[in-house]
């Protein structure tokens, strides 16, 4: 995968532990936020807080883990895969 | 003042109509004589679906429903919540093919009335026909308010507005007191109604609780400061055209 992750704190007013997702050209594609284990909607999941370019829009899914988030980002108009 | 008690099956329908239209004793009696088939339905069941051609309409006698439209990929937009007394598919009396789906949010008791019986009543009593007409007009006014709410208000006031509306509508049929009511709507359902994610709904509720705007106990909603919630939600109940708040009928 060509995506790189960088931890970040996000001022959501709730959970703050997040991850910036960059493509291989170091362009910011998405901001993910780690929901707390007590979150009633999707406990412990990663939430697409913001997406850019083709990830921008009404769709804000949650993912069981970071690998699932990366797969979704690559499958939804993220950068072309290496090789 | 609450209306006099009616037989349980008809009471919510009459209460709802009387909240927006003054009924005479004769008209109340004619409504009481409507043949109603009462059916209990579990939660999360479609009562009617988009594309259906119903030969009857139903009134909610107890419980709550949502009216929604569904996109090709299955995502839905809830366009209204139904409370006791509402007749969410009354338009099928005139519009033969339904353009909405109605789903139970909780276990519901629904009273089905054939279109034949409704037509017969409307032809015998033009004023009752006018009351149903007024009901659908008020419903239209609520849809317009929802477009404004979903299209223009930020998530926090958007939620405040919908809570205000639900409290006022439940109060109008005797199901809310002291700015408190049972509100068994899940965060996912609020998300589908407000056009935001369930994660955001959860954050908004947390923030509202922290701000002292609402209290929740199980499915019970308590609003400690009604004026403040109205202010936050930019809520003016004129669009609900209730007689008790000066929504004059013809």
């Amino acid at each position: 995968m060509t995506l790189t992750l960088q931890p970040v704190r996000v001022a959501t007013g709730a959970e703050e532990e997040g991850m910036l997702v960059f493509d291989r050209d170091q362009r910011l594609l998405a901001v993910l936020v780690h929901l707390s284990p007590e979150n009633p909607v999707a406990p412990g999941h990663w939430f697409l807080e913001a997406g850019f370019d083709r990830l921008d829009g009404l769709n804000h899914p949650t993912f069981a883990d970071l690998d699932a988030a990366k797969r979704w980002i690559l499958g939804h108009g993220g950068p072309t895969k290496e090789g | 003042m609450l209306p006099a008690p009616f037989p349980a099956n008809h009471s919510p329908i009459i209460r709802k109509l009387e909240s927006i239209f003054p009924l005479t004793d004769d008209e109340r009696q004619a409504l009481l004589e409507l043949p109603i088939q009462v059916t209990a339905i579990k939660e999360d069941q479609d009562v009617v679906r988009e594309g259906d051609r119903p030969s009857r309409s139903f009134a909610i006698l107890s419980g709550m429903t949502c009216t929604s439209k569904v996109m090709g990929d299955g995502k839905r937009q809830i366009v209204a919540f139904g409370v006791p007394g509402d007749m969410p598919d009354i338009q099928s009396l005139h519009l033969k093919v339904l353009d909405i789906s109605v789903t139970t949010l909780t276990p519901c008791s629904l009273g089905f009335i054939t279109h034949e019986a409704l037509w017969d009543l409307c032809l015998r009593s033009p004023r009752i026909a006018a009351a149903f007409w007024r009901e659908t007009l008020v419903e239209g006014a609520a849809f317009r308010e929802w477009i404004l709410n979903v299209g223009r208000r930020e998530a926090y006031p958007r939620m405040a507005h919908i809570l205000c509306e639900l409290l006022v509508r439940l109060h109008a049929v005797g199901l809310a007191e002291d700015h408190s009511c049972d509100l068994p709507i899940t965060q996912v359902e609020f998300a589908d109604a407000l056009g935001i994610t369930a994660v955001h709904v959860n954050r908004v509720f947390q923030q509202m609780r922290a701000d002292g705007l609402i209290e929740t106990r199980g499915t019970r909603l308590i609003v400690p400061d009604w004026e403040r919630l109205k202010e936050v939600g930019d809520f003016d109940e004129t669009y609900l055209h209730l007689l008790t708040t000066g929504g004059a009928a013809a």
Side-chain angles (χ1 to χ4, degrees):
Chain A
M1 283 195 186
T2 61
L3 302 178
T4 56
L5 301 177
Q6 181 186 316
V8 68
R9 287 181 64 201
V10 188
T12 65
E15 293 103 332
E16 295 200 335
E17 186 198 335
M19 206 61 88
L20 301 176
V21 185
F22 296 94
D23 69 8
R24 62 179 163 196
D25 298 321
Q26 287 303 296
R27 293 181 306 176
L28 181 61
L29 291 176
V31 180
L32 300 169
V33 165
H34 198 189
L35 302 178
S36 83
E38 288 81 39
N39 187 293
V41 177
H45 283 220
W46 290 84
F47 174 61
L48 181 73
E49 186 74 38
F52 301 97
D53 193 14
R54 278 173 285 180
L55 302 179
D56 190 11
L58 294 173
N59 200 8
H60 291 263
T62 58
F63 307 98
D65 53 41
L66 285 171
D67 280 343
K70 287 200 281 190
R71 276 196 301 277
W72 185 88
I73 290 168
L74 286 168
H76 278 75
T80 49
K81 288 172 190 169
E82 266 178 343
Chain B
M1 207 174 85
L2 293 176
F6 298 107
N9 291 345
H10 295 72
S11 170
I13 303 171
I14 292 177
R15 229 176 232 201
K16 166 65 196 289
L17 275 183
E18 287 203 308
S19 74
I20 56 166
F21 192 94
L23 295 171
T24 65
D25 288 346
D26 286 350
E27 288 157 0
R28 223 175 280 127
Q29 189 56 38
L31 284 161
L32 285 172
E33 286 165 8
L34 263 181
I36 292 186
Q37 187 198 336
V38 179
T39 305
I41 297 191
K42 287 188 290 190
E43 72 269 27
D44 300 323
Q45 307 291 311
D46 285 341
V47 185
V48 287
R49 290 198 185 97
E50 218 170 326
D52 282 359
R53 293 167 169 268
S55 60
R56 54 186 193 166
S57 291
F58 68 92
I60 304 166
L61 306 179
S62 69
M64 285 188 75
T65 65
C66 70
T67 299
S68 61
K69 290 186 76 81
V70 182
M71 294 204 303
D73 66 1
K75 285 180 193 153
R76 71 170 176 179
Q77 174 70 40
I78 292 176
V79 296
F81 288 117
V83 304
D86 286 344
M87 299 180 74
D89 71 343
I90 182 84
Q91 73 268 33
S92 65
L93 190 57
H94 290 275
L95 308 176
K96 290 304 164 198
V97 183
L98 273 184
D99 55 57
I100 43 110
S101 298
V102 183
T103 310
T104 56
L105 298 178
T106 65
C108 282
S109 172
L110 306 178
F112 288 87
I113 309 163
T114 64
H115 285 169
E116 198 184 347
L118 283 169
W119 267 115
D120 180 57
L121 178 62
C122 290
L123 292 173
R124 278 188 288 124
S125 169
R127 272 181 41 88
I128 290 180
F132 286 136
W133 186 2
R134 182 173 164 90
E135 187 172 355
T136 59
L137 289 172
V138 173
E139 198 179 54
F143 288 144
R144 293 191 283 278
E145 188 69 26
W146 274 45
I147 291 172
L148 175 67
N149 200 36
V150 171
R152 284 289 173 254
R153 289 194 186 101
E154 299 295 335
Y156 193 88
R158 198 183 296 183
M159 177 65 83
H161 190 279
I162 210 169
L163 293 178
C164 287
E165 178 185 302
L166 284 164
L167 259 176
V168 167
R169 289 174 54 212
L170 285 166
H171 183 259
V173 288
L175 293 172
E177 273 181 8
D178 302 326
H179 303 115
S180 169
C181 64
D182 192 38
L183 205 58
I185 301 174
T186 67
Q187 299 196 351
V188 170
E189 288 154 358
F190 271 121
D192 286 348
L194 296 178
I196 57 178
T197 67
V199 171
H200 281 114
V201 169
N202 182 248
R203 284 180 192 165
V204 167
F205 271 133
Q206 280 188 41
Q207 192 60 50
M208 283 184 160
R209 281 193 209 99
D211 293 343
L213 210 54
I214 60 165
E215 294 166 18
T216 49
R217 283 177 209 141
T219 58
R220 187 127 201 112
L221 170 76
I222 300 139
V223 177
D225 187 342
W226 173 240
E227 291 304 321
R228 201 165 135 232
L229 186 70
K230 282 207 300 186
E231 193 182 330
V232 168
D234 183 30
F235 180 76
D236 174 351
E237 66 194 69
T238 306
Y239 72 96
L240 293 171
H241 300 278
L242 295 167
L243 297 182
T244 49
T245 51

